[in-house]
């Protein structure tokens, strides 16, 4: 069985709900951005990263972005998936994040999951499918 981590940052609880759905679907270990570090990347066969869009459609900059930037050099060939919520915009932060991951050599296991505000049943089902794609 694959070792899977789900690493997220959430300010309102929306992305946390998504992270919990991903982790439940694949039996992953759940971490906040503060609890996860680059030296843990090698322990996992796959990692799902979750972060909402902040400000001008960017990743959260005080906790999540520094953690993710530290992990990025270790993602070469790693199976990952991305998810997050947003309040406005069109998902630009996710497209930029996907490009960043591909440039780092990561393998996207499936399409990213985004939802506006609180995840509804459809978004949670997509999160479960994302989790299963990491297995």
């Amino acid at each position: 069985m694959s070792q899977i981590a789900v690493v997220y940052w959430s300010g309102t609880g929306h992305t946390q709900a998504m992270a919990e759905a991903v982790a439940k679907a694949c039996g992953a270990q759940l971490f906040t951005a503060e609890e996860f570090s680059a030296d843990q990347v090698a322990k996992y066969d796959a990692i799902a990263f979750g972060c909402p869009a902040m400000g001008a459609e960017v990743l959260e900059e005080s906790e999540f972005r520094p953690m993710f930037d530290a992990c990025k050099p270790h993602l070469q060939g790693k199976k990952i998936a991305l998810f997050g919520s947003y309040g406005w915009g069109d998902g630009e932060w996710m497209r930029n994040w996907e490009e960043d991951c591909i440039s780092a050599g990561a393998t996207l296991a499936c399409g990213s999951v985004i939802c506006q505000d609180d995840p509804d049943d459809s978004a949670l089902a997509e999160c479960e499918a994302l989790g299963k794609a990491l297995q």
Side-chain angles (χ1 to χ4, degrees), residues 61-105:
E61 296 175 306
S62 65
E63 289 179 37
F64 190 87
R65 185 86 220 187
M67 177 278 303
F68 185 77
D69 284 346
C71 291
K72 200 163 42 171
H74 306 282
L75 296 180
Q76 176 74 36
K78 185 70 67 176
K79 188 176 182 181
I80 68 165
L82 307 175
F83 63 93
S85 61
Y86 64 98
W88 63 274
D90 69 354
E92 179 183 5
W93 104 101
M94 186 59 73
R95 292 189 297 276
N96 292 339
W97 193 13
E98 289 169 343
E99 290 173 17
D100 196 22
C101 291
I102 291 167
S103 294

Side-chain angles (χ1 to χ4, degrees), residues 26 32 75 100 134:
C26 62
T32 64
L75 296 180
D100 196 22
L134 291 172

Side-chain angles (χ1 to χ4, degrees), residues 8-17 19 32-33 50-52 60 63-64 85:
Y8 73 95
W9 185 91
S10 185
T12 62
H14 301 315
T15 300
Q16 180 178 352
T32 64
C51 186
E60 191 279 329
E63 289 179 37
F64 190 87
S85 61

Side-chain angles (χ1 to χ4, degrees), residues 17-18 21-22 83 112-131:
M18 297 173 79
V22 172
F83 63 93
S112 300
V113 176
I114 63 173
C115 71
Q116 190 166 17
D117 299 320
D118 197 23
D120 60 14
D121 289 344
S122 175
L124 292 174
E126 288 182 52
C127 289
E128 291 172 8
L130 182 147

